[in-house]
Amino acid sequence: MRLIQTIIIFITFLCFLIDAATIPEEPRRRSPDNINGKRLEPRGKVRRPRTPGHRRKRRDEGMPKYFHEPGGSQLGNHYDTRYYHGIQDYADRKDTQLHMLRAYLTFFHENRLESWLAHGTLLGWWWNGKMLPWDWDIDTQVSGSTLKYLAQRYNHTHYDYVSQSDPPVKRTYLLDINPASVERERGNGNNIIDARWIDTTNGLYIDITGLSETHPEDQPGVWVCKNYHRYHTTDLYPMRETMYEGVISKVPYAYDRILTQEYGERALALTDYQGHRWDPIVKEWLQKSEEELEEDRKEMEAADKMKEEQEKRRKDKEEAAKKKEEAENEKKAQEQERKDREKAEKEKEKADKKAEVQRLKDQQRLMRDNIKKKTEQQPKTPVSKSDNNGNPQR
């Protein structure tokens, strides 16, 4: 194993030298931001001043996706392509996940490596210290420093596992660290998962994501993964040691706060989910029988029908209210139109009266002017003087 790792490092170093020789204007240096000659996308844009002869370089798209899944369906995304031989049934998948998780926790405990349960796996522990039977994902987290140590010391480790059951189950698991794990920012989103613990028998895996204080200067004590899950140091530490599926494991200190923030309080109280029901007596999530599923289906159909009827009644009520509002608005508009018409008629009548009065005044003034003009045009007759007795004087 050491020989293989030495050969890989030597080949990588040769690639580095070739890249450096082919680009003399900008030698590439080995750093956490530069892996195998491929520079990872930095956080945000770095603007450099333009100089004479400056050329715009093609934007670095970061490292290509490292882990690949066969796809084809939602369930197909839970297998590693290299070891995929088809989707397992319910019982085989549960058995595979059980031994895979026990092997993972045992390996980390034996080598004194810190890892803890996360996401749906942590939720399963909260209910009864076991995996949620409908959950295809097994999620764990490690610190950024542990992730770096795993890459240096245990990358591509094959772990042979033998169960304590009768008959014993023998499996081999691969610890595969993503080369892009040294980049603690999301980058182009191709390498959110930092490492995987893979069952080489069928390709099912455990996702391992690292948490790091990516901006300790601006946000001290804030731990972030590449999928934007954020935690405070007091949420994580000190870790609580517990049992999970019969094996020693660890969970974050403030597990209840973490779960309610991620899933809401309803996830800690809902007892019927994904074809399973919680039995408080045996403290297990039990898969429902065909009769129970049929009854659930009928109840769901009845609930959907009731919901449709309620929605229809709501829409009818809204439509009736809308029509009533439109009728009232139309009535108000008609009333306003009538008032406006009456107002216009009154104003017109008032204007007509005013115009008539003005016409009469103009007519009277014209008559007075005509009379005055005629009077001025008539010849004046001499007036004879008379004495006191009324006799004309000569």
Side-chain angles (χ1 to χ4, degrees):
M1 182 59 67
R2 293 290 181 84
L3 178 60
I4 294 173
Q5 291 179 348
T6 303
I7 293 172
I8 292 172
I9 293 172
F10 179 73
I11 293 173
T12 303
F13 181 71
L14 285 178
C15 293
F16 163 73
L17 292 178
I18 292 171
D19 288 342
T22 56
I23 309 177
E25 71 278 9
E26 185 179 347
R28 300 193 178 188
R29 295 173 296 176
R30 187 75 172 178
S31 70
D33 292 333
N34 195 307
I35 302 177
N36 296 334
K38 295 183 178 180
R39 188 168 184 80
L40 297 180
E41 185 71 15
R43 182 183 178 90
K45 282 189 176 180
V46 179
R47 297 187 179 275
R48 296 180 175 87
R50 291 181 176 273
T51 57
H54 171 82
R55 278 187 170 183
R56 183 184 294 276
K57 296 182 179 180
R58 184 175 63 85
R59 189 166 69 98
D60 191 355
E61 297 179 353
M63 292 190 68
K65 182 176 172 61
Y66 180 74
F67 293 117
H68 293 275
E69 304 78 28
S73 67
Q74 183 64 29
L75 298 181
N77 292 328
H78 297 283
Y79 292 86
D80 189 283
T81 303
R82 292 169 288 182
Y83 305 101
Y84 176 68
H85 305 294
I87 296 176
Q88 294 184 304
D89 60 25
Y90 181 87
D92 289 341
R93 189 259 303 170
K94 283 187 64 178
D95 185 67
T96 295
Q97 287 182 320
L98 174 63
H99 293 294
M100 181 167 57
L101 183 64
R102 286 178 174 174
Y104 174 86
L105 295 175
T106 300
F107 173 81
F108 272 72
H109 183 70
E110 288 176 349
N111 292 281
R112 297 182 179 180
L113 300 169
E114 185 180 63
S115 179
W116 59 90
L117 310 179
H119 308 311
T121 309
L122 180 62
L123 182 61
W125 169 83
W126 185 89
W127 278 96
N128 60 351
K130 297 182 179 181
M131 289 180 290
L132 298 172
W134 61 82
D135 194 2
W136 283 77
D137 290 323
I138 301 180
D139 295 295
T140 63
Q141 293 174 334
V142 296
S143 66
S145 58
T146 299
L147 185 63
K148 183 178 179 180
Y149 182 74
L150 287 172
Q152 293 173 346
R153 183 75 182 271
Y154 294 102
N155 192 18
H156 296 142
T157 294
H158 285 79
Y159 180 73
D160 295 322
Y161 164 83
V162 180
S163 71
Q164 301 297 322
S165 58
D166 188 20
V169 176
K170 296 182 179 180
R171 297 285 174 88
T172 298
Y173 300 98
L174 169 66
L175 176 61
D176 195 0
I177 311 299
N178 190 333
S181 62
V182 295
E183 173 56 51
R184 299 315 306 143
E185 299 287 354
R186 183 183 177 90
N188 57 16
N190 285 335
N191 296 285
I192 294 175
I193 303 303
D194 293 307
R196 277 180 178 170
W197 180 265
I198 306 169
D199 189 328
T200 59
T201 305
N202 49 49
L204 280 171
Y205 55 78
I206 295 175
D207 277 333
I208 307 171
T209 53
L211 297 182
S212 302
E213 292 183 88
T214 53
H215 300 283
E217 299 84 5
D218 301 329
Q219 298 176 342
V222 177
W223 298 66
V224 187
C225 72
K226 293 180 183 177
N227 208 23
Y228 301 132
H229 292 286
R230 306 169 69 84
Y231 310 89
H232 291 276
T233 302
T234 53
D235 293 333
L236 301 173
Y237 294 100
M239 288 285 168
R240 299 176 186 263
E241 191 169 280
T242 182
M243 299 295 290
Y244 189 67
E245 292 290 3
V247 185
I248 296 175
S249 62
K250 292 182 178 181
V251 297
Y253 180 77
Y255 58 84
D256 49 352
R257 181 163 63 246
I258 291 174
L259 288 173
T260 52
Q261 286 178 349
E262 185 169 358
Y263 298 106
E265 294 182 357
R266 191 166 181 264
L268 307 182
L270 191 64
T271 57
D272 192 314
Y273 192 72
Q274 290 288 326
H276 295 75
R277 59 179 175 82
W278 173 253
D279 189 326
I281 298 176
V282 298
K283 299 187 185 306
E284 292 278 351
W285 284 98
L286 304 180
Q287 188 177 21
K288 293 184 178 181
S289 63
E290 292 296 330
E291 292 78 10
E292 289 177 313
L293 292 174
E294 180 64 20
E295 185 178 349
D296 287 348
R297 186 184 65 79
K298 291 180 180 179
E299 289 179 358
M300 188 175 297
E301 288 179 354
D304 290 341
K305 186 176 180 181
M306 182 179 296
K307 187 177 180 180
E308 289 178 1
E309 292 176 353
Q310 291 176 348
E311 183 68 15
K312 186 176 181 300
R313 285 196 296 268
R314 184 187 66 80
K315 288 183 178 179
D316 292 343
K317 188 176 180 180
E318 287 181 354
E319 187 67 23
K322 185 178 179 181
K323 288 182 178 180
K324 183 179 179 182
E325 184 179 1
E326 289 177 352
E328 290 178 351
N329 290 337
E330 185 177 358
K331 186 177 179 181
K332 289 180 180 179
Q334 291 176 353
E335 180 67 18
Q336 186 64 36
E337 185 180 354
R338 183 186 63 80
K339 290 181 179 180
D340 293 342
R341 189 169 57 251
E342 289 179 353
K343 183 179 179 181
E345 289 176 354
K346 288 181 179 180
E347 289 179 352
K348 184 176 182 300
E349 183 180 356
K350 185 178 179 180
D352 291 343
K353 287 182 178 180
K354 186 176 180 180
E356 180 65 19
V357 170
Q358 186 65 37
R359 187 183 65 80
L360 292 175
K361 287 182 178 180
D362 293 342
Q363 187 177 8
Q364 290 176 358
R365 186 175 62 253
L366 182 61
M367 288 176 64
R368 286 196 301 268
D369 292 343
N370 290 336
I371 292 171
K372 183 178 179 182
K373 194 177 292 184
K374 287 180 180 180
T375 304
E376 291 176 352
Q377 291 176 355
Q378 287 179 359
K380 295 183 180 181
T381 56
V383 180
S384 60
K385 294 183 180 180
S386 58
D387 57 13
N388 293 334
N389 295 323
N391 297 320
Q393 296 182 355
R394 290 185 181 180

